[in-house]
Amino acid sequence: MATAQIAEIPSVKDQVSPEEWEARVNLAAAYRLVAHFGWDDLIYTHISARVPGGDHHFLINPLGLMFEEITASSLIKVDLEGNKLNDSPYIANKAGFVIHSAIHAAREDAGCVIHLHTDYGIAVSNQKDGLLPLAQSSIPGWLSLAYHDFEGLAVRDDEKERLVADMGEKNALMLRNHGTLTAGKSIAQAFELMYFLEKACKIQILTQTAGAEIQHPSEESIQNTINDLQAVAGANGADLLVWPALLRKLDRMDSSFRD
């Protein structure tokens, strides 16, 4: 049987603004990193990013590509209803954009939204007590986290209002019995928060399944950690330090995400 080929996507670098191209490169990088860390779920789940400017346009993955196949040019530009705005042999998954569009529309500060279906994230979302502050690397996700109860596949427009209300001003959301979600002003900020949220979920499941009595941090130590967080890398640490390092890592592995 012949192997199905990916449709060839010509570069769109000369067809978009420099700001949009930069957003495309960074979003493609985020998809590749999700695949690298093993957080992808076949062709499902999404990462969306706001196109710079005031048109309320967004970039999202084309339906049918694996995350390790995403490039800057293959990303699809959509409006808030998920309608495709650029020429592409691929289609956008309008149903998959429901969650993202709700948050982008309600939160002008949500420049990027990441939604995952990882094993550890779903395992914690299934627990009544949700995420616990069990380790220092659990604190960033735990501090930023809100919860939204499971209503189905999250493809119905009437769920948007409840999802946005539950998230409030938080930057992370645990979708009960479903998965994890983070938002950030930048792709870098949303990704770093997701990294620590997913790490926290994995730590929790590993700790719980070890069978030993759990040593919980004191309230004082948790507060100290919260106070210390800004001193580690500063408010822009994700953009200035973490993200450039991740891009260098990707370039060493496979720089085709920049195409």
Side-chain angles (χ1 to χ4, degrees):
M1 180 181 295
T3 302
Q5 298 296 312
I6 300 173
E8 186 171 346
I9 305 289
S11 175
V12 301
K13 185 174 183 179
D14 296 333
Q15 303 171 30
V16 301
S17 68
E19 293 79 12
E20 179 176 331
W21 182 251
E22 182 179 9
R24 283 176 171 272
V25 170
N26 285 321
L27 185 57
Y31 276 102
R32 296 293 185 97
L33 286 165
V34 165
H36 170 71
F37 286 111
W39 298 340
D40 48 346
D41 185 19
L42 297 179
I43 64 170
Y44 306 108
T45 76
H46 308 277
I47 313 172
S48 59
R50 190 184 302 274
V51 176
D55 294 328
H56 294 289
H57 294 165
F58 307 88
L59 299 171
I60 199 164
N61 54 316
L63 185 62
L65 291 189
M66 300 291 284
F67 281 18
E68 70 263 22
E69 297 172 328
I70 300 295
T71 64
S73 295
S74 69
L75 292 164
I76 293 178
K77 182 157 54 175
V78 298
D79 59 20
L80 270 174
E81 285 69 49
N83 299 309
K84 186 170 70 171
L85 301 176
N86 64 307
D87 185 29
S88 171
Y90 294 101
I91 62 173
N93 185 350
K94 293 182 67 173
F97 192 56
V98 168
I99 291 174
H100 295 252
S101 64
I103 296 170
H104 282 302
R107 297 271 301 269
E108 284 295 325
D109 63 328
C112 176
V113 176
I114 302 175
H115 172 44
L116 303 179
H117 299 157
T118 68
D119 293 349
Y120 290 111
I122 294 173
V124 171
S125 80
N126 293 343
Q127 297 187 6
K128 189 173 183 61
D129 290 336
L131 185 66
L132 304 173
L134 293 177
Q136 68 173 15
S137 55
S138 303
I139 304 299
W142 173 79
L143 184 65
S144 304
L145 196 59
Y147 293 84
H148 175 66
D149 286 343
F150 186 62
E151 297 187 22
L153 294 181
V155 296
R156 292 180 295 276
D157 285 338
D158 65 335
E159 188 177 351
K160 288 183 178 182
E161 184 177 348
R162 293 183 293 277
L163 187 147
V164 167
D166 286 339
M167 188 169 185
E169 297 302 313
K170 298 282 191 177
N171 287 324
L173 186 65
M174 185 71 73
L175 297 158
R176 296 283 195 180
N177 316 105
H178 184 166
T180 53
L181 181 147
T182 60
K185 292 182 179 179
S186 67
I187 294 168
Q189 291 177 24
F191 189 88
E192 183 185 57
L193 182 55
M194 180 59 80
Y195 177 86
F196 284 110
L197 178 57
E198 285 294 331
K199 186 179 182 73
C201 290
K202 184 174 183 179
I203 288 170
Q204 180 163 322
I205 298 302
L206 291 175
T207 300
Q208 291 170 329
T209 55
E213 184 177 358
I214 297 175
Q215 173 68 40
H216 290 270
S218 67
E219 291 294 332
E220 181 182 4
S221 68
I222 291 173
Q223 188 58 53
N224 287 341
T225 304
I226 293 171
N227 295 337
D228 293 343
L229 279 173
Q230 292 301 313
V232 176
N236 296 316
D239 294 285
L240 299 179
L241 299 173
V242 176
W243 193 247
L246 287 170
L247 291 181
R248 294 194 302 271
K249 181 181 185 68
L250 275 182
D251 280 327
R252 290 191 297 269
M253 295 166 51
D254 179 1
S255 63
S256 65
F257 69 95
R258 296 183 179 273
D259 295 344

